[in-house]
Amino acid sequence: MEYYAFFHHHREPLPSFDGFITVELSDRPIRYHMQPLFPCNMDAQECHTMAMAACRIACNCADAIRGKLSVDRLQRALTAPCLERLQTMHQLLDLHMLTHPDIKAKFCYLPTVPNLIDGMITSDRTMELAVFMTIGKENLRVNMKFRFIGSRWMCVFADLG
């Protein structure tokens, strides 16, 4: 009976944080949606700030693997293991494009244009975000995991595909 009462009492729905950010390369504001999975202390302003940071980091990661930006420029935003994986991805993509100039033409010269940011706050110290973007006509999704380390949010995982 206590178990039932604890888990089945009236619960308030968790608020989500929705808004828009503007960036240079997009001709329209970019919508974001952040959903906490538990009652948390984050507010709308913090979610807005994280959406902007995630968008900037995702675009920089895409530019880094394409060789348009040095991976080292991301040191303040990404942890060392995350930087190493990004560097490896850049090297693999670089090798692949040597034998596939058509992919290089579609993927390497046009700007990254973010379209949507979707995030989940999974704990007081962890959040996961996906940034949907295009490079020319190619759709790209950057999945990222952030952890609060020391006194700031750091990207501990970035996967582009």
Side-chain angles (χ1 to χ4, degrees):
M1 180 67 178
E2 285 180 43
Y3 172 83
Y4 179 82
F6 180 76
F7 286 104
H8 293 89
H9 69 281
H10 182 300
R11 287 189 249 177
E12 293 294 317
L14 293 171
S16 63
F17 301 97
D18 297 280
F20 293 90
I21 62 170
T22 54
V23 296
E24 244 177 71
L25 295 174
S26 183
D27 58 351
R28 59 186 166 77
I30 300 151
R31 188 174 77 80
Y32 69 84
H33 172 78
M34 303 281 275
Q35 180 64 57
L37 301 182
F38 66 100
C40 70
N41 295 328
M42 285 194 79
D43 62 17
Q45 183 58 48
E46 289 172 296
C47 288
H48 183 84
T49 300
M50 280 307 297
M52 289 192 324
C55 186
R56 180 179 35 81
I57 292 167
C59 289
N60 286 342
C61 285
D63 286 347
I65 66 159
R66 299 186 304 157
K68 295 182 82 163
L69 177 78
S70 169
V71 172
D72 295 335
R73 297 252 339 253
L74 295 165
Q75 282 183 11
R76 290 192 39 78
L78 279 63
T79 60
C82 190
L83 281 168
E84 289 171 21
R85 287 190 299 267
L86 201 62
Q87 183 66 42
T88 300
M89 190 174 196
H90 162 65
Q91 292 167 345
L92 291 171
L93 185 63
D94 206 31
L95 284 172
H96 183 70
M97 287 190 294
L98 288 174
T99 57
H100 296 83
D102 56 319
I103 293 175
K104 186 170 187 169
K106 285 194 305 191
F107 191 63
C108 286
Y109 303 116
L110 297 169
T112 55
V113 180
N115 301 309
L116 173 69
I117 302 160
D118 193 23
M120 290 184 298
I121 303 165
T122 55
S123 80
D124 282 331
R125 300 182 96 38
T126 309
M127 67 174 65
E128 297 182 24
L129 294 107
V131 179
F132 299 86
M133 60 178 66
T134 55
I135 297 174
K137 294 183 180 192
E138 301 299 314
N139 291 317
L140 183 67
R141 177 176 170 165
V142 182
N143 293 309
M144 296 180 292
K145 184 173 189 172
F146 289 86
R147 271 213 187 94
F148 197 76
I149 299 172
S151 61
R152 62 192 174 119
W153 289 99
M154 294 284 292
C155 182
V156 297
F157 176 82
D159 181 45
L160 293 82

